[in-house]
């Protein structure tokens, strides 16, 4: 029968700790490590939007359409001022047709700002550099909206000044100047932002551009061919809320005596764009790139 061994004293316990090895110098990267924020994303998106050729082409054609058609219309009206009968109307509305056609350029640029990256695969690099997908969408939206608004405001203001100088008509009021320049520029920039959001949702440039061009023109065209009495209410709604009619509201030249007036078109477009943006933000966080 073995007798129990007394416990080993603490001081006599074997030391299993490994002997310290040689120390090596730590590496310090010369590149400063900083926490990324929205400003970095904005800088990246600004670099992209000003360096691609599509931006220069679409904005160049936009300015050509807005300024060219606006000045040509003013010159034509001025040459026939005796027959035009604009003495009691504001000449700012002469820029409407140029802005309507030019808005298709803003739509195209808005779609390409997001959808083109999915077509080329560049979106993977973008998301790797900035894993916060929502931040990428917000940065794209801010940069695009700022560019679209600035270019539209400069073009519409130039056309408005030339129209007032060339056409013999009454002097526009301060409210008409504000709506005919700042108001309509905000509306077209929001229309372009809606196109950007649709491009993020669809992820296909041609498909998103087709959807937005259809949204721009289809309601008014469809309404023109509704001859049935049973469709009068629908025809009226399509006239009133079509994008061309909402653009004309900023010049107090609505195609319908009822419907949106004043600044209503801007609030309508803002609500639609905000809802679409929320949907795009949700899908961007849930889907793979």
């Amino acid at each position: 029968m073995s007798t129990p061994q007394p416990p080993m004293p603490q001081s006599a316990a074997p030391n299993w700790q490994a002997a310290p090895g040689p120390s090596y110098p730590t590496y310090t990267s010369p590149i400063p490590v900083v926490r990324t924020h929205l400003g970095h994303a904005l800088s990246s998106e600004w670099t992209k939007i000003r360096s691609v050729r599509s931006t220069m082409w679409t904005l160049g054609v936009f300015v050509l359409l807005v300024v060219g058609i606006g000045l040509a219309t003013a010159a034509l009206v001025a040459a026939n001022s005796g027959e035009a009968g604009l003495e009691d109307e504001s000449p700012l509305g002469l820029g409407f047709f140029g802005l309507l056609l030019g808005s298709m350029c803003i739509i195209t640029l808005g779609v390409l700002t997001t959808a083109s990256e999915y077509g080329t695969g560049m979106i993977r690099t973008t998301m790797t550099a900035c894993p916060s997908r929502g931040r990428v969408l917000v940065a794209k939206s801010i940069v695009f909206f700022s560019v679209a608004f600035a270019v539209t405001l400069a073009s519409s203001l130039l056309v408005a000044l030339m129209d007032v100088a060339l056409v013999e008509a009454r002097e526009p009021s301060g409210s008409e100047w504000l709506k005919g320049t700042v108001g309509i520029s905000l509306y077209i920039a929001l229309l372009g932002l809606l196109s950007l959001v649709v491009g993020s949702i669809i992820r296909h440039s041609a498909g998103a551009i087709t959807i937005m061009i259809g949204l721009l023109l289809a309601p008014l065209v469809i309404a023109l061919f509704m001859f049935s009495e049973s469709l009068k209410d629908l025809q009226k709604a399509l006239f009133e809320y079509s994008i061309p009619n909402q653009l004309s509201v900023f010049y107090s030249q609505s195609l319908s005596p009822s419907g949106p007036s004043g600044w209503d078109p801007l609030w309508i477009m803002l609500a639609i764009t905000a809802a679409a943006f929320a949907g795009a933000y949700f899908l961007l966080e849930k889907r793979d790139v």
Side-chain angles (χ1 to χ4, degrees):
M1 180 176 176
S2 61
T3 59
Q5 298 294 328
M8 184 178 295
Q10 186 71 20
S11 59
N15 185 7
W16 299 104
Q17 184 176 2
S23 60
Y24 297 96
T26 58
Y27 172 76
T28 302
S29 173
I31 303 175
V33 179
V34 296
R35 188 178 183 86
T36 59
H37 50 75
L38 180 61
H40 297 109
L42 290 172
S43 177
S44 173
E45 294 304 325
W46 168 244
T47 300
K48 283 190 282 187
I49 199 170
R50 68 184 174 86
S51 59
V52 295
R53 286 177 293 180
S54 59
T55 302
M56 297 298 103
W57 276 105
T58 52
L59 292 182
V61 174
F62 172 79
V63 173
L64 182 63
L65 288 172
V66 173
V67 177
I69 295 178
L71 296 184
T73 304
L76 182 62
V77 172
N80 300 275
S81 57
E83 303 174 3
L86 294 176
E87 291 78 7
D88 297 330
E89 296 185 14
S90 170
L92 299 181
L94 299 175
F96 167 77
F97 294 104
L99 285 168
L100 177 60
L101 293 178
S103 62
M104 290 188 283
C105 299
I106 298 295
I107 285 174
T108 302
L109 180 60
V111 170
L112 293 178
T113 301
T114 50
S116 63
E117 289 199 39
Y118 288 96
T120 60
M122 183 66 184
I123 191 65
R124 298 185 182 90
T125 304
T126 300
M127 295 304 180
T128 301
C130 182
S132 178
R133 300 182 180 184
R135 184 187 299 169
V136 172
L137 183 60
V138 171
K140 286 181 180 294
S141 301
I142 293 175
V143 170
F144 171 81
F145 182 86
S146 302
V147 171
F149 174 74
V151 174
T152 306
L153 180 60
S155 302
S156 61
L157 182 59
L158 175 61
V159 172
L161 292 172
M162 294 301 296
D163 287 346
V164 172
L166 292 175
V167 178
E168 295 182 3
R170 69 173 178 84
E171 183 68 24
S173 64
S175 175
E176 289 174 330
W177 272 107
L178 186 63
K179 289 172 58 180
T181 55
V182 177
I184 203 165
S185 299
L186 287 171
Y187 184 90
I188 291 179
L190 280 174
L191 179 62
L193 183 57
L194 177 61
S195 305
L196 182 149
V197 171
V198 171
S200 178
I201 295 173
I202 302 299
R203 298 184 171 189
H204 190 274
S205 299
I209 292 173
T210 302
I211 290 173
M212 290 306 302
I213 297 298
L215 181 64
L216 174 67
L217 300 176
L220 183 60
V221 174
I222 293 173
L224 290 174
F225 292 94
M226 286 185 172
F227 304 109
S228 174
E229 287 295 331
S230 60
L231 298 175
K232 285 297 181 181
D233 292 338
L234 178 58
Q235 182 189 43
K236 179 181 177 182
L238 291 175
F239 267 125
E240 292 175 349
Y241 293 96
S242 64
I243 291 177
N245 183 59
Q246 293 190 53
L247 285 173
S248 67
V249 170
F250 288 98
Y251 296 117
S252 301
Q253 297 177 352
S254 177
L255 302 176
S256 174
S258 58
S261 60
W263 293 87
D264 291 345
L266 184 62
W267 312 136
I268 293 172
M269 183 57 66
L270 180 61
I272 294 174
T273 304
F277 186 91
Y281 191 97
F282 174 79
L283 290 174
L284 189 62
E285 294 290 343
K286 295 297 181 182
R287 296 190 299 193
D288 293 332
V289 295

